[in-house]
Coordinates of all heavy atoms in Angstrom, one line a residue:
M1 N 55.8 -26.6 -38.4 CA 56.6 -27.1 -37.3 C 56.1 -26.4 -36.0 O 56.0 -25.2 -36.0 CB 58.0 -26.9 -37.5 CG 58.9 -27.4 -36.5 SD 60.6 -27.3 -37.1 CE 61.4 -27.8 -35.6
S2 N 55.9 -27.2 -35.0 CA 55.4 -26.6 -33.7 C 56.6 -26.4 -32.8 O 57.4 -27.3 -32.6 CB 54.4 -27.6 -33.2 OG 54.3 -27.5 -31.8
C3 N 56.6 -25.3 -32.1 CA 57.6 -25.0 -31.1 C 57.0 -25.0 -29.7 O 56.1 -24.1 -29.5 CB 58.3 -23.7 -31.4 SG 59.6 -23.3 -30.2
R4 N 57.3 -25.8 -28.8 CA 56.7 -25.8 -27.5 C 57.7 -25.2 -26.5 O 58.9 -25.5 -26.5 CB 56.4 -27.3 -27.0 CG 55.4 -27.9 -27.8 CD 55.0 -29.2 -27.2 NE 54.0 -29.9 -27.9 CZ 53.4 -30.9 -27.6 NH1 53.7 -31.5 -26.4 NH2 52.4 -31.5 -28.3
R5 N 57.2 -24.4 -25.6 CA 57.9 -23.8 -24.6 C 57.6 -24.5 -23.3 O 56.4 -24.7 -22.9 CB 57.7 -22.3 -24.4 CG 58.2 -21.5 -25.5 CD 58.0 -20.1 -25.3 NE 58.5 -19.7 -24.0 CZ 58.1 -18.5 -23.4 NH1 57.3 -17.7 -24.0 NH2 58.6 -18.2 -22.3
W6 N 58.6 -25.0 -22.6 CA 58.3 -25.7 -21.3 C 58.6 -24.8 -20.2 O 59.5 -23.9 -20.2 CB 59.2 -26.9 -21.2 CG 58.9 -28.0 -22.2 CD1 59.4 -28.2 -23.5 CD2 57.9 -29.0 -22.1 NE1 58.8 -29.2 -24.1 CE2 57.9 -29.7 -23.3 CE3 57.0 -29.3 -21.1 CZ2 57.0 -30.8 -23.5 CZ3 56.1 -30.4 -21.3 CH2 56.1 -31.1 -22.5
L7 N 57.8 -24.9 -19.2 CA 57.9 -24.1 -18.0 C 58.0 -25.0 -16.8 O 57.2 -25.9 -16.6 CB 56.7 -23.2 -17.9 CG 56.7 -22.2 -16.6 CD1 57.8 -21.2 -16.7 CD2 55.3 -21.5 -16.6
F8 N 59.1 -24.8 -16.0 CA 59.2 -25.6 -14.8 C 58.7 -24.7 -13.6 O 59.2 -23.6 -13.4 CB 60.7 -25.9 -14.6 CG 61.0 -26.7 -13.3 CD1 60.6 -28.1 -13.3 CD2 61.6 -26.1 -12.3 CE1 60.9 -28.8 -12.1 CE2 61.8 -26.8 -11.1 CZ 61.5 -28.2 -11.0
V9 N 57.8 -25.3 -12.9 CA 57.2 -24.6 -11.8 C 57.4 -25.3 -10.5 O 57.2 -26.5 -10.4 CB 55.6 -24.4 -12.0 CG1 55.0 -23.7 -10.8 CG2 55.4 -23.6 -13.3
K10 N 57.9 -24.6 -9.5 CA 58.1 -25.1 -8.1 C 57.0 -24.5 -7.2 O 56.8 -23.3 -7.3 CB 59.4 -24.7 -7.5 CG 60.6 -25.5 -7.9 CD 61.7 -25.1 -7.1 CE 63.0 -25.2 -7.8 NZ 64.2 -24.8 -6.9
L11 N 56.3 -25.3 -6.4 CA 55.4 -24.8 -5.5 C 55.7 -25.3 -4.1 O 55.1 -26.1 -3.5 CB 54.0 -25.2 -5.9 CG 53.5 -24.8 -7.2 CD1 52.2 -25.5 -7.6 CD2 53.2 -23.3 -7.3
P12 N 56.8 -24.7 -3.5 CA 57.2 -25.1 -2.1 C 56.2 -24.6 -1.0 O 55.4 -23.7 -1.3 CB 58.6 -24.5 -2.0 CG 58.4 -23.2 -2.8 CD 57.6 -23.6 -3.9
P13 N 56.4 -25.2 0.2 CA 55.6 -24.6 1.3 C 56.0 -23.2 1.5 O 57.2 -22.8 1.2 CB 56.0 -25.5 2.5 CG 56.8 -26.6 2.0 CD 57.2 -26.3 0.5
F14 N 55.2 -22.4 2.1 CA 55.5 -20.9 2.3 C 56.8 -20.7 3.0 O 57.5 -19.8 2.7 CB 54.3 -20.2 3.0 CG 54.6 -18.8 3.2 CD1 54.5 -17.9 2.1 CD2 54.9 -18.2 4.4 CE1 54.8 -16.6 2.2 CE2 55.2 -16.9 4.5 CZ 55.1 -16.0 3.4
T15 N 57.1 -21.6 4.0 CA 58.3 -21.4 4.8 C 59.6 -21.5 3.9 O 60.6 -21.0 4.3 CB 58.4 -22.4 5.9 OG1 58.2 -23.7 5.3 CG2 57.3 -22.2 6.9
A16 N 59.5 -22.1 2.8 CA 60.7 -22.2 1.9 C 60.5 -21.3 0.6 O 61.4 -21.4 -0.3 CB 60.9 -23.7 1.5
L17 N 59.5 -20.5 0.5 CA 59.2 -19.8 -0.7 C 60.3 -18.8 -1.1 O 60.7 -18.8 -2.2 CB 57.8 -19.1 -0.6 CG 57.2 -18.5 -1.8 CD1 57.1 -19.5 -2.9 CD2 55.9 -17.9 -1.5
A18 N 60.7 -18.0 -0.1 CA 61.7 -17.0 -0.5 C 63.0 -17.6 -0.9 O 63.7 -17.2 -1.9 CB 61.9 -16.0 0.7
E19 N 63.4 -18.6 -0.2 CA 64.7 -19.3 -0.5 C 64.6 -20.0 -1.9 O 65.5 -19.9 -2.7 CB 65.0 -20.4 0.5 CG 66.3 -21.1 0.3 CD 66.6 -22.1 1.4 OE1 65.9 -22.1 2.4 OE2 67.6 -22.8 1.2
A20 N 63.4 -20.6 -2.2 CA 63.3 -21.2 -3.5 C 63.2 -20.2 -4.6 O 63.8 -20.4 -5.7 CB 62.0 -22.0 -3.5
A21 N 62.6 -19.1 -4.4 CA 62.5 -18.0 -5.4 C 63.9 -17.4 -5.7 O 64.3 -17.2 -6.8 CB 61.6 -16.9 -5.0
A22 N 64.7 -17.3 -4.6 CA 66.1 -16.7 -4.8 C 67.0 -17.7 -5.6 O 67.9 -17.3 -6.3 CB 66.7 -16.4 -3.4
A23 N 66.7 -19.0 -5.4 CA 67.5 -20.0 -6.0 C 67.1 -20.4 -7.4 O 67.7 -21.2 -8.1 CB 67.5 -21.3 -5.2
S24 N 66.0 -19.8 -7.9 CA 65.4 -20.2 -9.2 C 65.3 -19.0 -10.2 O 64.2 -18.7 -10.7 CB 64.1 -20.8 -9.0 OG 64.2 -22.0 -8.3
P25 N 66.4 -18.3 -10.4 CA 66.2 -17.1 -11.3 C 66.3 -17.5 -12.8 O 66.1 -16.6 -13.6 CB 67.4 -16.2 -10.9 CG 68.5 -17.2 -10.5 CD 67.7 -18.4 -9.9
A26 N 66.5 -18.7 -13.1 CA 66.7 -19.1 -14.5 C 65.4 -18.9 -15.3 O 64.3 -19.1 -14.9 CB 67.1 -20.5 -14.6
R27 N 65.6 -18.6 -16.6 CA 64.5 -18.4 -17.5 C 63.8 -19.8 -17.7 O 64.4 -20.8 -17.8 CB 65.0 -18.0 -18.9 CG 64.0 -17.6 -19.8 CD 64.6 -17.0 -21.0 NE 63.5 -16.7 -22.0 CZ 63.7 -16.3 -23.2 NH1 64.9 -16.2 -23.7 NH2 62.7 -16.1 -24.0
G28 N 62.5 -19.8 -17.8 CA 61.7 -21.0 -17.9 C 61.4 -21.7 -16.6 O 60.9 -22.7 -16.6
R29 N 61.8 -21.0 -15.5 CA 61.5 -21.5 -14.2 C 60.7 -20.5 -13.4 O 61.1 -19.3 -13.4 CB 62.8 -21.9 -13.4 CG 63.5 -23.0 -14.0 CD 64.8 -23.3 -13.2 NE 65.5 -24.3 -13.8 CZ 66.4 -25.1 -13.2 NH1 66.6 -24.9 -12.0 NH2 67.0 -26.0 -13.9
M30 N 59.7 -20.9 -12.7 CA 58.9 -20.0 -11.9 C 58.7 -20.7 -10.5 O 58.5 -21.9 -10.4 CB 57.5 -19.8 -12.5 CG 57.6 -19.0 -13.8 SD 56.0 -18.7 -14.5 CE 55.7 -17.0 -13.8
V31 N 58.6 -19.9 -9.5 CA 58.3 -20.3 -8.2 C 57.0 -19.7 -7.7 O 56.8 -18.5 -8.0 CB 59.5 -20.0 -7.2 CG1 59.1 -20.3 -5.8 CG2 60.7 -20.7 -7.6
G32 N 56.2 -20.5 -7.1 CA 54.9 -20.0 -6.7 C 54.4 -20.6 -5.4 O 55.0 -21.5 -4.8
A33 N 53.4 -20.0 -4.8 CA 52.8 -20.4 -3.6 C 51.7 -21.4 -3.8 O 51.1 -21.4 -4.9 CB 52.3 -19.2 -2.8
Q34 N 51.4 -22.2 -2.8 CA 50.4 -23.3 -3.0 C 49.0 -22.7 -2.7 O 48.0 -23.4 -3.0 CB 50.7 -24.4 -2.0 CG 52.0 -25.1 -2.3 CD 52.3 -26.1 -1.2 OE1 51.6 -26.4 -0.3 NE2 53.5 -26.7 -1.3
N35 N 48.9 -21.5 -2.2 CA 47.6 -21.0 -1.8 C 47.8 -19.6 -1.3 O 48.9 -19.2 -1.0 CB 46.9 -21.8 -0.7 CG 45.5 -21.4 -0.4 OD1 44.7 -21.1 -1.3 ND2 45.2 -21.3 0.9
C36 N 46.7 -18.8 -1.2 CA 46.8 -17.5 -0.6 C 45.4 -17.1 0.0 O 44.4 -17.8 -0.4 CB 47.3 -16.4 -1.5 SG 46.1 -15.9 -2.7
H37 N 45.4 -16.1 0.7 CA 44.1 -15.5 1.2 C 43.7 -14.4 0.3 O 44.5 -13.7 -0.3 CB 44.3 -15.1 2.7 CG 42.9 -14.8 3.4 ND1 42.3 -13.7 3.3 CD2 42.2 -15.7 4.1 CE1 41.1 -13.8 3.9 NE2 41.1 -15.0 4.5
W38 N 42.4 -14.1 0.2 CA 41.9 -13.1 -0.6 C 42.1 -11.7 -0.1 O 42.2 -10.7 -0.8 CB 40.5 -13.3 -1.0 CG 39.5 -13.4 0.2 CD1 39.0 -12.3 0.9 CD2 39.0 -14.5 0.7 NE1 38.2 -12.8 1.9 CE2 38.2 -14.2 1.8 CE3 39.2 -15.9 0.5 CZ2 37.6 -15.1 2.6 CZ3 38.6 -16.8 1.3 CH2 37.7 -16.4 2.3
A39 N 42.3 -11.5 1.3 CA 42.5 -10.2 1.9 C 44.0 -9.9 1.7 O 44.9 -10.7 2.0 CB 42.1 -10.2 3.3
S40 N 44.3 -8.6 1.4 CA 45.7 -8.2 1.2 C 46.3 -7.8 2.5 O 47.5 -7.7 2.6 CB 45.7 -7.0 0.2 OG 45.0 -5.9 0.7
A41 N 45.5 -7.6 3.6 CA 46.0 -7.2 4.9 C 45.0 -7.5 6.0 O 43.9 -7.9 5.7 CB 46.3 -5.7 4.9
G42 N 45.5 -7.4 7.2 CA 44.6 -7.7 8.3 C 44.9 -9.0 9.0 O 45.7 -9.8 8.6
A43 N 44.3 -9.2 10.1 CA 44.5 -10.4 11.0 C 43.8 -11.6 10.3 O 42.6 -11.7 10.4 CB 44.0 -10.2 12.4
R44 N 44.6 -12.5 9.8 CA 44.1 -13.7 9.2 C 45.1 -14.8 9.6 O 46.0 -15.3 8.9 CB 44.1 -13.7 7.7 CG 43.4 -12.5 7.1 CD 41.9 -12.7 7.0 NE 41.3 -11.6 6.2 CZ 40.7 -10.5 6.8 NH1 40.8 -10.4 8.1 NH2 40.1 -9.7 6.0
T45 N 44.9 -15.3 10.9 CA 45.8 -16.2 11.5 C 46.1 -17.4 10.6 O 45.2 -18.1 10.2 CB 45.3 -16.7 12.9 OG1 45.1 -15.5 13.7 CG2 46.3 -17.6 13.6
G46 N 47.4 -17.7 10.3 CA 47.8 -18.8 9.6 C 47.7 -18.7 8.1 O 48.1 -19.5 7.3
E47 N 47.1 -17.6 7.6 CA 46.9 -17.3 6.2 C 48.0 -16.4 5.6 O 48.6 -15.6 6.3 CB 45.6 -16.7 5.9 CG 44.4 -17.6 6.3 CD 44.2 -18.8 5.3 OE1 44.7 -18.7 4.2 OE2 43.6 -19.8 5.8
I48 N 48.3 -16.6 4.3 CA 49.3 -15.8 3.6 C 48.6 -14.9 2.6 O 47.8 -15.5 1.8 CB 50.3 -16.7 2.9 CG1 50.9 -17.7 3.9 CG2 51.4 -15.9 2.3 CD1 51.6 -17.2 5.2
S49 N 48.9 -13.7 2.5 CA 48.3 -12.8 1.5 C 49.1 -12.8 0.3 O 50.3 -13.1 0.3 CB 48.2 -11.4 2.1 OG 49.5 -10.8 2.2
A50 N 48.5 -12.4 -0.8 CA 49.2 -12.3 -2.1 C 50.3 -11.3 -2.0 O 51.4 -11.6 -2.6 CB 48.2 -11.9 -3.2
P51 N 50.2 -10.1 -1.4 CA 51.4 -9.2 -1.3 C 52.5 -9.8 -0.5 O 53.7 -9.6 -0.9 CB 50.8 -8.0 -0.5 CG 49.4 -8.0 -0.9 CD 49.0 -9.4 -1.0
Q52 N 52.3 -10.7 0.5 CA 53.4 -11.3 1.2 C 54.1 -12.3 0.3 O 55.3 -12.5 0.3 CB 52.8 -12.1 2.4 CG 52.4 -11.2 3.5 CD 51.7 -12.0 4.6 OE1 50.8 -12.8 4.4 NE2 52.1 -11.8 5.9
I53 N 53.3 -13.0 -0.6 CA 53.9 -13.9 -1.5 C 54.8 -13.2 -2.5 O 55.9 -13.6 -2.9 CB 52.8 -14.7 -2.2 CG1 52.1 -15.7 -1.2 CG2 53.3 -15.5 -3.4 CD1 50.8 -16.3 -1.7
A54 N 54.3 -12.0 -3.0 CA 55.1 -11.2 -4.0 C 56.4 -10.8 -3.3 O 57.4 -10.7 -4.0 CB 54.2 -10.1 -4.5
E55 N 56.3 -10.4 -2.0 CA 57.5 -9.9 -1.3 C 58.6 -11.0 -1.2 O 59.8 -10.7 -1.1 CB 57.1 -9.5 0.1 CG 56.4 -8.1 0.1 CD 56.0 -7.8 1.5 OE1 56.5 -8.3 2.5 OE2 55.0 -7.0 1.7
C56 N 58.1 -12.3 -1.2 CA 59.1 -13.4 -1.2 C 59.8 -13.6 -2.5 O 60.7 -14.4 -2.6 CB 58.3 -14.7 -0.8 SG 57.9 -14.7 0.9
G57 N 59.3 -13.0 -3.6 CA 59.9 -13.2 -4.9 C 59.2 -14.2 -5.8 O 59.7 -14.5 -6.8
A58 N 58.1 -14.7 -5.3 CA 57.3 -15.7 -6.1 C 56.7 -15.0 -7.3 O 56.5 -13.8 -7.3 CB 56.3 -16.4 -5.2
A59 N 56.3 -15.8 -8.3 CA 55.7 -15.2 -9.5 C 54.3 -15.6 -9.7 O 53.5 -15.0 -10.4 CB 56.5 -15.7 -10.7
L60 N 53.8 -16.7 -9.0 CA 52.5 -17.2 -9.2 C 51.9 -17.8 -7.9 O 52.6 -18.1 -7.0 CB 52.4 -18.1 -10.3 CG 53.3 -19.4 -10.3 CD1 52.7 -20.5 -9.6 CD2 53.6 -19.8 -11.7
V61 N 50.6 -18.1 -7.9 CA 49.9 -18.8 -6.9 C 49.0 -19.8 -7.5 O 48.2 -19.5 -8.4 CB 49.1 -17.8 -6.0 CG1 48.4 -18.5 -4.9 CG2 49.9 -16.6 -5.5
E62 N 49.1 -21.0 -6.9 CA 48.2 -22.1 -7.4 C 46.8 -21.9 -6.7 O 46.8 -21.8 -5.4 CB 48.7 -23.5 -7.0 CG 47.8 -24.6 -7.5 CD 48.4 -26.0 -7.1 OE1 49.1 -26.1 -6.1 OE2 48.1 -26.9 -7.9
L63 N 45.7 -21.9 -7.4 CA 44.4 -21.7 -6.9 C 43.5 -22.8 -7.4 O 43.6 -23.2 -8.6 CB 43.9 -20.3 -7.3 CG 44.7 -19.2 -6.7 CD1 44.2 -17.9 -7.3 CD2 44.7 -19.1 -5.2
G64 N 42.5 -23.2 -6.7 CA 41.4 -24.1 -7.1 C 41.8 -25.5 -7.0 O 41.2 -26.4 -7.7
H65 N 42.8 -25.9 -6.2 CA 43.2 -27.3 -6.1 C 42.1 -28.1 -5.5 O 41.4 -27.7 -4.6 CB 44.5 -27.4 -5.3 CG 45.2 -28.7 -5.4 ND1 44.8 -29.8 -4.8 CD2 46.3 -29.0 -6.1 CE1 45.6 -30.8 -5.1 NE2 46.5 -30.3 -5.9
S66 N 42.0 -29.3 -6.0 CA 40.9 -30.2 -5.5 C 41.0 -30.5 -4.0 O 40.0 -30.7 -3.3 CB 41.0 -31.6 -6.3 OG 42.2 -32.2 -6.0
E67 N 42.2 -30.6 -3.4 CA 42.3 -30.8 -2.0 C 41.7 -29.6 -1.2 O 41.1 -29.8 -0.2 CB 43.8 -31.0 -1.6 CG 44.4 -32.3 -2.1 CD 45.9 -32.4 -1.8 OE1 46.4 -31.5 -1.2 OE2 46.4 -33.4 -2.2
R68 N 42.0 -28.4 -1.7 CA 41.4 -27.2 -1.0 C 39.9 -27.2 -1.1 O 39.2 -26.9 -0.1 CB 42.0 -25.9 -1.6 CG 43.5 -25.8 -1.6 CD 44.0 -25.3 -0.3 NE 43.3 -24.2 0.3 CZ 43.5 -23.9 1.6 NH1 44.4 -24.5 2.3 NH2 42.8 -22.9 2.1
R69 N 39.4 -27.6 -2.2 CA 37.9 -27.7 -2.4 C 37.3 -28.8 -1.5 O 36.3 -28.6 -0.8 CB 37.6 -27.9 -3.8 CG 37.8 -26.7 -4.7 CD 37.5 -27.1 -6.2 NE 37.7 -25.9 -7.0 CZ 36.7 -25.1 -7.4 NH1 35.5 -25.2 -6.9 NH2 37.0 -24.1 -8.2
A70 N 38.0 -29.9 -1.5 CA 37.4 -31.1 -0.7 C 37.6 -30.9 0.8 O 36.6 -31.2 1.5 CB 38.1 -32.4 -1.2
H71 N 38.7 -30.5 1.2 CA 39.0 -30.4 2.7 C 38.7 -29.1 3.3 O 38.5 -29.1 4.6 CB 40.5 -30.8 2.9 CG 40.9 -32.1 2.4 ND1 40.3 -33.3 2.8 CD2 41.8 -32.5 1.5 CE1 40.8 -34.3 2.2 NE2 41.7 -33.9 1.3
F72 N 38.7 -28.0 2.6 CA 38.4 -26.7 3.2 C 37.1 -26.1 2.6 O 36.8 -25.0 3.0 CB 39.6 -25.8 3.0 CG 40.8 -26.3 3.6 CD1 41.8 -26.9 2.9 CD2 41.0 -26.1 5.0 CE1 43.0 -27.4 3.5 CE2 42.2 -26.6 5.6 CZ 43.1 -27.2 4.8
G73 N 36.4 -26.8 1.7 CA 35.2 -26.3 1.2 C 35.3 -25.1 0.3 O 34.3 -24.3 0.3
E74 N 36.4 -24.9 -0.3 CA 36.6 -23.7 -1.2 C 35.6 -23.8 -2.3 O 35.4 -24.8 -3.0 CB 38.0 -23.6 -1.7 CG 38.9 -23.1 -0.6 CD 40.3 -22.7 -1.2 OE1 40.6 -22.9 -2.4 OE2 41.1 -22.2 -0.4
T75 N 35.0 -22.6 -2.6 CA 34.0 -22.5 -3.7 C 34.6 -21.7 -4.8 O 35.6 -21.0 -4.6 CB 32.7 -21.8 -3.1 OG1 33.1 -20.5 -2.7 CG2 32.1 -22.6 -2.0
D76 N 33.8 -21.7 -5.9 CA 34.2 -20.8 -7.0 C 34.3 -19.3 -6.6 O 35.1 -18.6 -7.1 CB 33.3 -21.0 -8.2 CG 33.5 -22.3 -8.9 OD1 34.5 -23.0 -8.7 OD2 32.5 -22.7 -9.6
V77 N 33.4 -18.9 -5.7 CA 33.3 -17.5 -5.2 C 34.6 -17.2 -4.5 O 35.2 -16.2 -4.7 CB 32.1 -17.3 -4.4 CG1 32.1 -15.9 -3.7 CG2 30.8 -17.5 -5.2
A78 N 35.0 -18.1 -3.6 CA 36.2 -17.9 -2.8 C 37.5 -17.8 -3.7 O 38.3 -17.0 -3.6 CB 36.4 -18.9 -1.7
I79 N 37.5 -18.7 -4.7 CA 38.6 -18.8 -5.6 C 38.7 -17.5 -6.5 O 39.7 -17.0 -6.7 CB 38.6 -20.1 -6.4 CG1 38.9 -21.3 -5.5 CG2 39.6 -20.0 -7.6 CD1 38.6 -22.6 -6.1
N80 N 37.5 -17.0 -6.9 CA 37.5 -15.8 -7.7 C 38.0 -14.6 -6.9 O 38.8 -13.8 -7.4 CB 36.0 -15.5 -8.1 CG 36.0 -14.3 -9.0 OD1 36.7 -14.2 -9.9 ND2 35.0 -13.4 -8.7
A81 N 37.7 -14.6 -5.6 CA 38.3 -13.5 -4.7 C 39.8 -13.6 -4.6 O 40.5 -12.6 -4.6 CB 37.6 -13.6 -3.3
K82 N 40.3 -14.9 -4.6 CA 41.7 -15.1 -4.5 C 42.4 -14.7 -5.8 O 43.5 -14.1 -5.8 CB 42.0 -16.5 -4.2 CG 41.7 -16.9 -2.8 CD 42.0 -18.4 -2.5 CE 41.6 -18.7 -1.1 NZ 42.2 -20.0 -0.7
V83 N 41.7 -15.0 -6.9 CA 42.3 -14.6 -8.3 C 42.4 -13.1 -8.3 O 43.5 -12.6 -8.8 CB 41.4 -15.2 -9.4 CG1 41.8 -14.5 -10.7 CG2 41.5 -16.7 -9.5
K84 N 41.4 -12.4 -7.9 CA 41.5 -10.9 -7.9 C 42.6 -10.4 -7.1 O 43.3 -9.5 -7.4 CB 40.2 -10.3 -7.5 CG 39.1 -10.6 -8.5 CD 37.7 -10.0 -8.0 CE 36.6 -10.3 -9.0 NZ 35.3 -9.9 -8.5
A85 N 42.8 -11.0 -5.9 CA 43.9 -10.6 -5.0 C 45.3 -10.9 -5.6 O 46.2 -10.1 -5.5 CB 43.8 -11.3 -3.6
V86 N 45.4 -12.1 -6.2 CA 46.7 -12.5 -6.9 C 47.0 -11.5 -8.0 O 48.2 -11.0 -8.1 CB 46.6 -13.9 -7.4 CG1 47.7 -14.2 -8.4 CG2 46.6 -14.9 -6.2
L87 N 46.1 -11.2 -8.8 CA 46.3 -10.3 -10.0 C 46.6 -8.9 -9.5 O 47.5 -8.2 -10.0 CB 45.1 -10.3 -10.9 CG 44.8 -11.6 -11.6 CD1 43.6 -11.5 -12.5 CD2 46.0 -12.1 -12.4
A88 N 45.9 -8.4 -8.4 CA 46.2 -7.1 -7.9 C 47.6 -7.0 -7.3 O 48.2 -5.9 -7.3 CB 45.1 -6.8 -6.8
A89 N 48.1 -8.1 -6.8 CA 49.5 -8.1 -6.3 C 50.6 -8.3 -7.4 O 51.8 -8.3 -7.1 CB 49.6 -9.2 -5.3
G90 N 50.1 -8.3 -8.6 CA 51.1 -8.5 -9.7 C 51.6 -9.9 -10.0 O 52.6 -10.1 -10.6
L91 N 50.9 -10.8 -9.4 CA 51.3 -12.2 -9.6 C 50.4 -12.9 -10.7 O 49.4 -12.4 -11.1 CB 51.1 -13.0 -8.3 CG 51.9 -12.5 -7.1 CD1 51.3 -13.1 -5.8 CD2 53.3 -12.8 -7.3
R92 N 50.9 -14.1 -11.1 CA 50.1 -14.9 -12.0 C 49.3 -15.9 -11.2 O 49.8 -16.3 -10.1 CB 51.0 -15.6 -13.0 CG 51.7 -14.7 -13.9 CD 52.5 -15.5 -14.9 NE 53.2 -14.6 -15.8 CZ 53.9 -15.0 -16.8 NH1 54.0 -16.3 -17.1 NH2 54.5 -14.2 -17.6
R93 N 48.2 -16.4 -11.8 CA 47.5 -17.5 -11.1 C 47.8 -18.8 -11.8 O 47.9 -18.8 -13.0 CB 46.0 -17.2 -11.1 CG 45.4 -17.2 -12.5 CD 44.0 -17.3 -12.6 NE 43.4 -17.2 -13.8 CZ 43.9 -17.2 -15.0 NH1 45.2 -17.2 -15.2 NH2 43.2 -17.2 -16.1
W94 N 47.9 -19.8 -11.1 CA 48.2 -21.2 -11.6 C 46.9 -21.9 -11.3 O 46.6 -22.2 -10.2 CB 49.4 -21.8 -10.9 CG 49.7 -23.2 -11.4 CD1 49.2 -24.3 -10.9 CD2 50.6 -23.5 -12.5 NE1 49.7 -25.4 -11.6 CE2 50.6 -24.9 -12.6 CE3 51.3 -22.8 -13.4 CZ2 51.3 -25.6 -13.5 CZ3 52.0 -23.5 -14.3 CH2 52.1 -24.8 -14.4
S95 N 46.1 -22.2 -12.3 CA 44.8 -22.8 -12.2 C 44.9 -24.3 -12.0 O 45.6 -25.0 -12.9 CB 43.9 -22.5 -13.3 OG 42.7 -23.1 -13.2
A96 N 44.3 -24.9 -11.0 CA 44.3 -26.3 -10.8 C 42.9 -26.9 -11.2 O 42.6 -28.0 -10.8 CB 44.6 -26.6 -9.4
S97 N 42.1 -26.1 -11.9 CA 40.8 -26.5 -12.2 C 40.7 -27.8 -13.0 O 39.8 -28.6 -12.8 CB 40.0 -25.4 -12.9 OG 40.6 -25.1 -14.1
A98 N 41.6 -28.1 -13.9 CA 41.6 -29.3 -14.7 C 41.7 -30.5 -13.8 O 41.0 -31.5 -13.9 CB 42.7 -29.3 -15.8
R99 N 42.6 -30.4 -12.8 CA 42.8 -31.5 -11.9 C 41.5 -31.7 -11.1 O 41.1 -32.8 -10.7 CB 44.0 -31.2 -11.0 CG 45.2 -32.0 -11.3 CD 46.2 -31.8 -10.3 NE 46.9 -30.5 -10.6 CZ 47.6 -29.9 -9.7 NH1 47.9 -30.4 -8.6 NH2 48.2 -28.7 -10.0
R100 N 40.9 -30.6 -10.7 CA 39.7 -30.6 -9.9 C 38.6 -31.4 -10.6 O 37.9 -32.3 -10.1 CB 39.2 -29.2 -9.5 CG 37.9 -29.3 -8.7 CD 37.4 -27.9 -8.5 NE 37.0 -27.2 -9.7 CZ 35.8 -27.3 -10.3 NH1 34.9 -28.0 -9.7 NH2 35.5 -26.6 -11.4
R101 N 38.4 -31.1 -11.9 CA 37.4 -31.8 -12.7 C 37.6 -33.3 -12.7 O 36.7 -34.1 -12.6 CB 37.3 -31.2 -14.1 CG 36.6 -29.9 -14.1 CD 36.4 -29.4 -15.5 NE 36.5 -28.0 -15.5 CZ 37.4 -27.3 -16.1 NH1 38.4 -27.9 -16.7 NH2 37.5 -26.0 -16.0
R102 N 38.9 -33.7 -13.0 CA 39.2 -35.1 -13.1 C 39.0 -35.8 -11.7 O 38.5 -36.9 -11.7 CB 40.7 -35.2 -13.5 CG 40.8 -35.6 -15.0 CD 42.2 -35.9 -15.3 NE 42.8 -34.7 -15.9 CZ 43.9 -34.1 -15.4 NH1 44.6 -34.6 -14.5 NH2 44.3 -33.0 -16.0
S103 N 39.5 -35.2 -10.7 CA 39.4 -35.9 -9.4 C 38.1 -35.7 -8.7 O 37.8 -36.5 -7.8 CB 40.5 -35.4 -8.5 OG 40.4 -34.0 -8.2
A104 N 37.3 -34.8 -9.1 CA 36.0 -34.5 -8.4 C 35.1 -35.8 -8.5 O 34.3 -36.1 -7.7 CB 35.3 -33.3 -9.0
R105 N 35.2 -36.5 -9.7 CA 34.4 -37.6 -9.9 C 34.7 -38.8 -8.9 O 33.9 -39.5 -8.5 CB 34.6 -38.2 -11.3 CG 33.9 -37.3 -12.3 CD 34.1 -37.9 -13.7 NE 34.5 -36.9 -14.6 CZ 35.6 -36.9 -15.3 NH1 36.4 -37.9 -15.3 NH2 35.9 -35.9 -16.1
S106 N 36.0 -38.8 -8.4 CA 36.3 -39.9 -7.6 C 36.2 -39.6 -6.1 O 36.5 -40.4 -5.3 CB 37.8 -40.3 -7.9 OG 38.7 -39.3 -7.7
M107 N 35.9 -38.3 -5.8 CA 35.8 -37.9 -4.4 C 34.4 -38.3 -3.8 O 33.4 -38.2 -4.5 CB 35.9 -36.4 -4.3 CG 37.3 -36.0 -4.4 SD 37.4 -34.2 -4.1 CE 39.1 -33.9 -4.6
P108 N 34.4 -38.8 -2.6 CA 33.2 -39.2 -1.9 C 32.3 -37.9 -1.7 O 32.9 -36.8 -1.5 CB 33.6 -39.8 -0.6 CG 35.0 -39.3 -0.4 CD 35.6 -39.0 -1.7
P109 N 31.0 -38.0 -1.7 CA 30.2 -36.9 -1.4 C 30.4 -36.4 0.0 O 30.7 -37.2 0.9 CB 28.8 -37.4 -1.6 CG 28.8 -38.8 -1.6 CD 30.2 -39.2 -1.9
R110 N 30.2 -35.1 0.3 CA 30.4 -34.5 1.6 C 29.2 -34.8 2.5 O 28.1 -34.9 2.2 CB 30.7 -33.1 1.5 CG 31.9 -32.8 0.7 CD 32.1 -31.4 0.5 NE 33.2 -31.1 1.2 CZ 33.6 -30.2 2.0 NH1 33.1 -29.3 2.1 NH2 34.6 -30.0 2.7

């Protein structure tokens, strides 16, 4: 007999992250950010660092989304730097690579 554990994940915009994290303390629910920058500090206008995400009470960060790759040119190297930053901040990474593989075939060449 197989026992499946379901996990409900919310990925709100950063402006609602702290509020969503505070409202979702239930077991089996996690709140995460949609993206982060690989630098933990410094002037990165408009970017959110992994430590800032952790301070909001989030548990994970989604990385490698096809939209980020297509519209912002994110590479595996950049995503790897973000993964290291996320783990260093004590967060989990939420990999969107499966979606990327599926949708990459339908995306027009750059």
